[in-house]
Amino acid sequence: MTATEPARPPALTQVRLHDAFWSPRLEANRAHTLPALYAKLQEVGALDAYDLPEYAKKGITIPKTHHVTPQMWWDSDVAKWIEAASASLVTHPDAALDAQIDDVVERIAGAQQPDGYLNTYFTAIEPGKKLTNERDWHELYNAGHLIEAAVTHHQATGKTSLLDVVERYARFLAGVYGTGPGQRPGYPGHEEIELALLRLYHVTGRREHLDFARYFLNQRGALPNYFETEALARGDDPRDFWAGTYEYMQAHVPVREQTQVVGHAVRAMYLYAAMADLAAADGDAALRAACERLWADLTRHSLYVTGGLGPSASNEGMTRPYDLPNDTAYAETCASVGLAFWARRMAALTGDGAYADVMERALYNTVLSGVSLSGDAFLYENPLESDGTHRRWAWHACPCCPPNLARILASLGEYVYAVSAREVTVNLYASSTLRTDVAGHRLTLTQEGAYPWRGDIHLSVELDAPATFTVRLRIPSWAQGATLTVNGEAVDATPQQGYAVVTREWRSGDRLDLTLPLVPRRTYAHPAVRQDAGLVALEYGPLVYCAEGLDQDADLHALSLPRGLALSARFDPELLGGVTIIEGDAVADTVGGDDLYSAAPPSTHPTRLTAIPYAVWDNREPTPMRVWLRETVR
């Protein structure tokens, strides 16, 4: 099944959020995360690294003992900061921040080499190794993030200063990589440039960028494997590959033949997002089918209830179906950000709300858990259970997650809606205003509500003239019994591919009122997930809940919920910035003595459970946490 027409996210400038749930997070992102990231990039030398290539232009090689020694991925962190800061300017014009971005862009432009190449590490530190190890190093990955930064910078400010730089760089790379005479049939070990080139194509309309992205995707996994050819060219034995398998970077078979999500989770998500974008641009049925197979594999076998993915630290990624440990869950924040990228594109490609359901799950849970309420402390891994020692940090040896969080939060408006010539789709419920053209007319759609704490959502229509078009409102899979009225009259809310669909002649003043029933609900894992056998998770709307030890009168491992007992929800305006908590009667095992083992089962005593959204865990003092709780059958 397909959507009636292709959909695209609205431009950053077309959406304004004024939402009670999201606005505090977006303000913390603007006021605290962006300055904190910039300060760290200054402190570690990532910004000063753009001055080092000036020495290289003069023929001076910078020794590794220099006071600033770039890391191979520093360029990507700077680029993501530029992208996030640029998006922030759309909703909060800030002359000082604008000037700060301009300064960084100027330094980047100054570091670009005469042939268009741009990478601080391989220009200043190891110029002889430039473009010799795409399997392990990050040149094309860095280039991709720089391209994405340039696209957002241009969309937000109208400036072309960084766009001109990345177009030169893209043309240089397109001359290096390809199947023509003198070119290398290579592609990146860490995917990212593919989706970046597609974004560059959409903003410039230049098919050379579409063609280059298509080349990278078509070449991936082809035989002979480029990474083996590349290793031989630099004098290495391909069998010495540290990861042991090209599944690690999804290069084991061509992309259209892939059936299982394998390897490094972030790389996989970036790859699949690009595949979905190209499938939409080309109408490529085989590429779309591959995306749908991979999606089914992930969501049926390997996705955490929180929207996290990649249980293993050893490969920062996937292991085997149904392997979902809780206390050792890696679930990298960047992977859930990438999942949201992929899900948004799949929802637009197929018109199916099931993809937007997962996008919402990732955004409201693992993405938000990755940053503190204050906006200046972060998680790389997002476990579903902790003994209280897993805490947020201000910086990391590989600080990819904080600027990734910053850019997705700053561009959240792109995820709320999707638009096409004769349709407006509402994917997320957040108080906001969309201004766009539909059916040849200017539309302002205003959304109001208190989601996710309450399920009553109101949308009002303003038009320059009456117009006939379709409004699609997502009905989440958990929302049983949703109701919808238009101008006070009930209309059919039965989901069509996950959306209530209303096609009519709309006029200014028309109003839609959607009600999504919100009650606490219990969720159980597939029996093959051995780590969750006998356990239950709690959800409320899009939010997954957890228990933190400081809210309970019993140890979390000793506490259990009797099956069938009712749970209640209550909004607490004083807790964690204002959250709805879930409460209910529970029982706890009682310690009967000092013996490590006993022939007698433990006795129990009644207690109460208080659960908070997983999105806000670890924002108080150190304390144990669990998502999956024991359940007692009475």
Side-chain angles (χ1 to χ4, degrees):
M1 300 178 71
T2 60
T4 55
E5 341 178 326
R8 297 290 303 170
L12 282 170
T13 53
Q14 293 179 305
V15 181
R16 292 290 188 274
L17 274 79
H18 49 273
D19 185 71
F21 178 87
W22 284 105
S23 291
R25 289 301 193 109
L26 302 188
E27 176 60 16
N29 190 54
R30 183 192 71 83
H32 300 292
T33 305
L34 291 177
L37 296 183
Y38 184 85
K40 284 296 183 182
L41 292 170
Q42 276 190 312
E43 178 185 326
V44 300
L47 297 177
D48 289 342
Y50 284 102
D51 300 329
L52 298 182
E54 287 296 318
Y55 293 98
K57 287 180 180 179
K58 300 173 183 177
I60 303 171
T61 300
I62 310 302
K64 290 186 178 182
T65 55
H66 193 275
H67 73 282
V68 174
T69 301
Q71 295 181 349
M72 290 182 181
W73 52 79
W74 266 1
D75 291 2
S76 70
D77 298 323
V78 174
K80 283 182 281 188
W81 177 84
I82 293 173
E83 185 176 355
S86 298
S88 176
L89 292 177
V90 173
T91 53
H92 288 83
D94 182 331
L97 180 60
D98 193 16
Q100 200 172 54
I101 296 169
D102 284 345
D103 174 69
V104 177
V105 169
E106 184 178 353
R107 296 171 79 170
I108 291 172
Q112 188 165 30
Q113 299 302 288
D115 60 3
Y117 180 80
L118 178 54
N119 183 286
T120 55
Y121 183 86
F122 289 101
T123 299
I125 304 301
E126 296 194 87
K129 295 183 178 181
K130 181 190 304 182
L131 300 176
T132 60
N133 188 349
E134 287 306 331
R135 185 192 71 186
D136 299 333
W137 299 340
H138 288 69
E139 285 161 283
L140 294 178
Y141 167 80
N142 288 336
H145 277 302
L146 194 60
I147 291 168
E148 287 208 83
V151 168
T152 299
H153 181 243
H154 172 65
Q155 290 175 323
T157 67
K159 300 175 185 178
T160 63
S161 50
L162 189 55
L163 199 66
D164 293 341
V165 168
V166 301
E167 291 225 74
R168 279 189 65 211
Y169 194 9
R171 285 193 293 271
F172 166 79
L173 292 170
V176 173
Y177 293 104
T179 56
Q183 290 183 301
R184 306 176 191 179
Y187 46 87
H190 196 312
E191 302 94 325
E192 156 61 22
I193 194 172
E194 301 90 342
L195 69 88
L197 287 166
L198 285 158
R199 287 192 64 196
L200 188 60
Y201 160 68
H202 286 302
V203 79
T204 65
R206 293 176 180 164
R207 292 192 63 86
E208 63 192 271
H209 304 311
L210 172 65
D211 294 341
F212 197 20
R214 186 189 302 112
Y215 156 76
F216 275 136
L217 289 170
N218 287 343
Q219 190 67 13
R220 192 169 206 87
L223 294 178
N225 191 291
Y226 176 72
F227 297 139
E228 295 185 358
T229 303
E230 181 188 56
L232 291 169
R234 62 176 181 268
D236 292 344
D237 186 341
R239 294 172 297 182
D240 292 338
F241 178 32
W242 63 272
T245 171
Y246 296 125
E247 287 187 351
Y248 175 76
M249 65 272 291
Q250 300 81 39
H252 53 301
V253 295
V255 296
R256 290 170 182 79
E257 299 174 19
Q258 296 188 23
T259 60
Q260 184 177 354
V261 179
V262 295
H264 189 279
V266 179
R267 299 175 193 230
M269 295 302 101
Y270 288 178
L271 170 64
Y272 305 154
M275 289 166 61
D277 236 356
L278 184 60
D282 283 355
D284 189 325
L287 203 53
R288 170 177 166 168
C291 287
E292 291 173 340
R293 285 194 308 271
L294 291 161
W295 182 273
D297 173 64
L298 175 66
T299 56
R300 293 174 184 172
H301 302 134
S302 301
L303 185 66
Y304 281 103
V305 69
T306 55
L309 64 152
S312 171
S314 64
N315 66 347
E316 295 188 305
M318 315 309 291
T319 53
R320 58 190 181 278
Y322 303 116
D323 181 36
L324 294 168
N326 294 310
D327 59 342
T328 61
Y330 199 71
E332 184 181 340
T333 300
C334 281
S336 288
V337 171
L339 176 61
F341 294 165
W342 184 26
R344 189 190 74 186
R345 289 163 170 82
M346 290 300 292
L349 174 64
T350 67
D352 193 332
Y355 296 103
D357 281 359
V358 173
M359 177 179 76
E360 180 181 61
R361 180 176 294 277
L363 287 171
Y364 275 86
N365 296 289
T366 302
V367 169
L368 277 185
S369 75
V371 58
S372 64
L373 290 170
S374 60
D376 56 3
F378 309 95
L379 290 176
Y380 196 103
E381 308 98 356
N382 293 272
L384 284 74
E385 180 178 340
S386 170
D387 63 2
T389 59
H390 191 82
R391 305 304 312 280
R392 290 187 173 85
W393 38 262
W395 199 242
H396 193 276
C398 180
C400 54
C401 296
N404 227 1
L405 283 165
R407 68 179 183 137
I408 196 171
L409 291 176
S411 61
L412 186 66
E414 296 181 331
Y415 295 78
V416 179
Y417 302 98
V419 295
S420 60
R422 305 192 68 85
E423 288 187 349
V424 175
T425 298
V426 183
N427 283 318
L428 299 177
Y429 296 110
S431 296
S432 55
T433 301
L434 168 69
R435 291 182 173 86
T436 189
D437 293 322
V438 61
H441 292 273
R442 189 66 178 164
L443 167 70
T444 299
L445 185 67
T446 302
Q447 183 183 163
E448 300 288 349
Y451 191 85
W453 313 130
R454 296 203 309 267
D456 49 321
I457 297 135
H458 315 288
L459 299 104
S460 59
V461 174
E462 293 180 36
L463 283 162
D464 57 6
T468 299
F469 57 90
T470 297
V471 175
R472 304 171 75 236
L473 304 174
R474 186 175 60 88
I475 308 297
S477 57
W478 49 260
Q480 303 301 310
T483 61
L484 176 64
T485 66
V486 176
N487 298 331
E489 295 185 7
V491 298
D492 186 9
T494 303
Q496 302 177 36
Q497 288 187 274
Y499 294 90
V501 179
V502 184
T503 303
R504 69 193 303 269
E505 183 183 68
W506 297 94
R507 297 173 178 270
S508 283
D510 284 345
R511 179 182 173 98
L512 300 95
D513 294 287
L514 175 67
T515 300
L516 302 175
L518 285 175
V519 295
R521 63 188 190 276
R522 300 187 185 216
T523 298
Y524 301 91
H526 189 285
V529 183
R530 60 183 177 80
Q531 297 94 342
D532 297 334
L535 306 181
V536 64
L538 304 180
E539 298 187 76
Y540 182 84
L543 295 163
V544 175
Y545 277 65
C546 67
E548 286 197 309
L550 58 86
D551 296 318
Q552 323 305 323
D553 292 328
D555 291 339
L556 295 183
H557 64 271
L559 184 148
S560 62
L561 288 175
R563 182 175 295 181
L565 282 190
L567 299 167
S568 62
R570 175 175 62 86
F571 186 76
D572 186 341
E574 303 301 322
L575 181 64
L576 294 164
V579 295
T580 290
I581 60 175
I582 293 177
E583 298 174 305
D585 289 330
V587 296
D589 293 342
T590 300
V591 176
D594 295 331
D595 292 336
L596 183 59
Y597 302 105
S598 173
S603 59
T604 61
H605 65 272
T607 187
R608 292 281 291 175
L609 168 77
T610 299
I612 64 169
Y614 178 78
V616 295
W617 82 280
D618 190 37
N619 273 282
R620 296 175 287 177
E621 63 189 75
T623 185
M625 179 277 294
R626 286 184 67 154
V627 168
W628 290 94
L629 304 169
R630 293 169 56 198
E631 188 177 59
T632 302
V633 179
R634 302 185 69 181

